[in-house]
Amino acid sequence: MLGCVLEPFKGHLNARFTEAQSQVSGTCLCLAILEPGYHESKLFR
């Protein structure tokens, strides 16, 4: 199910991961998808 929810953000997440040369935390990636509109996680409620 997560794959479906995150699918619209996959390109953005891949770009951020690549820019950071694979040295980025999960928290940073979560914050990176808030800007383009991800709000499905209980973390952000």
Side-chain angles (χ1 to χ4, degrees):
M1 175 128 171
L2 275 181
C4 297
V5 173
L6 295 176
E7 193 64 37
F9 304 99
K10 189 175 180 179
H12 185 71
L13 288 170
N14 281 334
R16 292 294 292 244
F17 192 73
T18 300
E19 288 170 10
Q21 298 177 359
S22 305
Q23 300 295 314
V24 65
S25 71
T27 301
C28 288
L29 291 175
C30 286
L31 293 172
I33 60 173
L34 282 177
E35 184 178 317
Y38 177 78
H39 299 285
E40 295 294 324
S41 173
K42 291 177 185 175
L43 245 165
F44 304 116
R45 291 183 184 172

